[in-house]
Amino acid sequence: METYNLNYLRELEAESIYVIREVAAQFERPALLFSGGKDSIVLAHLSRKAFYPAKIPYPLIHIDTGHNFEDTLTFRDELVAELGVRLIVGKVQDSIDSGRVKEETGYNASRNMLQTVTLLDSLEEHKIDAAMGGARRDEEKASAKERFFSHRDEFGQWDPKNQRPELWNIFNGKKNPGEHFRVFPISNWTEMDVWQYIHMEKIKLPSLYFSHDRLCFKRDGSVLAFYDFMKLRETEIPEMMRIRFRTIGDITCTGAVFSEAMTLDEVILEVAASRQTERGTRADDKRSDSAMEDRKKEGYF
């Protein structure tokens, strides 16, 4: 199935590569935030195209909650080896052990919120002045407020009311000591654009994105994968379900969708027919109406 607009996707690709090259030109120690999800995989692919035949000139940073899908970690390591880039792993468990963060308890306990401290510590340790991420404006209302170059203060915090203008794609990367930028090269892409680009470029993805049988349970309108570190209520009974994931993150908050889509063509058709946003399955976004914006202000991705 090739129903996508080739010229349109190439325009998006060119815009993103332009942003990536601007990052490499304006900053001394950039990095790519890599979650193992499709958006960060596309960003790594675009980075490879931006500098080919040279290697990607910056490291990948992965924040490991300790509750990541094994499929994600395996895919990450294989991709890093294929790209020949340096991988920096920040571990939430290290932040817990050092007393930097306190682990949540209870039925809804998750390490997802704890990632912020680990991320900011990793950026400071490696003196990263520009961290590229795969956020898109269409996926969540807080992300819609982001610029391509999103300034962060010396505490790693984001002020949505203090955004720099980006007229004619002129990016201002000037900053004071201790400050840094988050940069989002695929800001103007939609979920469908990402899937069609993956199809066009034949980009490999973790098997989690395709239909498979997995032990899951239902909680507050979400379908979550079950692992033995998760605390269940009496009414929450794990059972085998045929699902796939639209986003990939910490196991405790990454919701699944019931699906029979086992190929890229089938996934694209399913996404086209879906009436729920891809982050609509994320349990962490349901904690409050402003959950994502609050986390961004504190220094989250």
Side-chain angles (χ1 to χ4, degrees), residues 127-285:
K127 303 186 186 306
I128 302 300
D129 56 1
M132 288 182 283
R136 309 184 322 271
R137 293 190 182 115
D138 79 308
E139 64 181 338
E140 206 276 334
K141 56 188 177 183
S143 296
K145 299 179 181 181
E146 294 274 22
R147 299 288 195 266
F148 279 106
F149 276 37
S150 185
H151 176 264
R152 298 299 199 266
D153 65 20
E154 60 183 321
F155 302 105
Q157 297 175 332
W158 173 63
D159 181 1
K161 296 180 180 179
N162 185 24
Q163 297 277 323
R164 297 177 179 181
E166 293 180 341
L167 304 176
W168 306 290
N169 276 3
I170 298 175
F171 304 119
N172 181 359
K174 292 183 179 180
K175 59 182 177 55
N176 295 317
E179 299 175 344
H180 73 276
F181 278 80
R182 303 291 173 83
V183 182
F184 306 105
I186 62 171
S187 289
N188 287 337
W189 298 43
T190 66
E191 181 187 12
M192 181 60 77
D193 294 334
V194 171
W195 279 112
Q196 291 181 336
Y197 185 75
I198 288 169
H199 189 286
M200 181 178 72
E201 293 286 291
K202 298 179 173 57
I203 299 173
K204 296 178 183 178
L205 292 175
S207 59
L208 294 165
Y209 278 113
F210 303 97
S211 178
H212 60 284
D213 294 325
R214 184 178 292 269
L215 193 62
C216 300
F217 67 97
K218 297 179 181 179
R219 171 178 290 173
D220 301 329
S222 296
V223 176
L224 300 175
F226 173 71
Y227 283 77
D228 55 12
F229 56 78
M230 303 173 78
K231 185 177 180 180
L232 299 184
R233 299 182 177 92
E234 291 183 1
T235 56
E236 295 172 340
I237 303 173
E239 58 182 294
M240 294 300 296
M241 301 180 188
R242 178 151 296 183
I243 56 92
R244 72 176 190 87
F245 296 95
R246 290 178 70 180
T247 64
I248 295 178
D250 186 86
I251 290 171
T252 57
C253 61
T254 301
V257 294
F258 296 110
S259 174
E260 299 288 339
M262 302 183 70
T263 67
L264 276 175
D265 286 340
E266 292 171 344
V267 168
I268 289 172
L269 289 173
E270 185 177 273
V271 170
S274 177
R275 301 184 67 84
Q276 182 182 49
T277 64
E278 62 185 308
R279 290 195 68 93
T281 61
R282 297 278 301 208
D284 51 328
D285 288 354

